[in-house]
Amino acid sequence: MSRKPIIAGNWKMNKTIDDALELVRSIRAGVRDIDSVETVVCPPFITLSAVSDSLATSNVGVGAQNVYFEESGAYTGETAPDMIEGLVSYCIIGHSERRQVFGESDEWVNKKAKALIAHGITPIICVGESLEQNQAGETESFVRGQIEGSLDGLTAEQVANLVIAYEPIWAIGTGLTATPVDANRTIGISIRGVVADLYDEATAQSVRIQYGGSAKPENIASFMLQPDIDGALVGGASLKADSFVKMIEETAGALGS
Ligand code: PGA
């Protein structure tokens, strides 16, 4: 089964509306002829509408970085799925910064996934272990638990269409990366393998799983050559058009397309 690779830029809390429009103009031009890789940008909420308009007729998709799971109401500062429906195709949930800084739990990630799916938005569910867990040999069991908690109650069809990002916390923004072989092993055992256990092999072979954590033009091809890695969630290297476009080109090149 061939899964189309997906490279998504997580801009985090960066770029004004003007900066965002300039960046997506260049990205759009740079990836215009590449259809073998799905390109997605995930700007801050305040720029989503302008970016979405600007990319409307392009092959670059748009994602949000977070969402709340309720439909509406007294949730100061939050954004409902209904409000981003039509603007985005994807939404990152459970990023380690949201888990660590804002206390987001697997239970919340699960509620957010269900709320997004109900609005036709594909969740990009982030999981990954801390340095301490990694050093204590707890990566497999911890990531397994995150997957089980995040997918609770989802149907096989819903899971088959998800994107999951494996991001070891110690590799995010640090310049350190998991080795491609280690990342592939964790993804294969603790994510795809767990999906196969919880659902079936066909579902496991359908879900797209990204690597994230200091992915950049120089190392993306080595990750993409791994059989269980279907793209990347990119922070720092997605903030400049030349490095982000280069990553899409490298991905297409690594896959021989
Ligand atoms: P990084 O961030 O590429 O800057 O390490 C990745 C992420 O947090 O999604």
Side-chain angles (χ1 to χ4, degrees), residues 9-12 14-21 24 40-56 58 60-68 77-92 116 121-122 124:
N10 173 11
W11 295 4
K12 307 190 181 182
N14 293 289
K15 305 292 177 189
T16 62
I17 294 176
D18 286 349
D19 294 341
L21 288 174
V24 292
V40 176
V41 293
C42 303
F45 278 120
I46 191 73
T47 68
L48 270 187
S49 181
V51 165
S52 175
D53 282 351
S54 163
L55 293 173
S58 76
V60 181
V62 181
Q65 296 176 19
N66 182 34
V67 74
Y68 196 55
E78 292 298 318
T79 304
D82 188 38
M83 298 169 181
I84 54 172
E85 186 179 335
L87 294 179
V88 304
S89 318
Y90 293 94
C91 180
I92 299 170
L116 288 168
I121 300 168
T122 301
I124 300 177

Side-chain angles (χ1 to χ4, degrees), residues 10 12 95-97 167 171-174 212-215 233-237:
N10 173 11
K12 307 190 181 182
H95 190 279
S96 62
E97 287 148 18
E167 301 200 299
I172 294 177
T174 57
S214 300
L233 185 57
V234 186

Side-chain angles (χ1 to χ4, degrees), residues 1 3 156 159-161 192 195-196 199-207:
M1 145 124 24
R3 299 178 293 266
V159 172
N161 289 309
R192 213 178 291 289
V195 171
Y199 297 90
D200 52 62
E201 193 55 31
T203 306
Q205 290 304 322
S206 292
V207 62

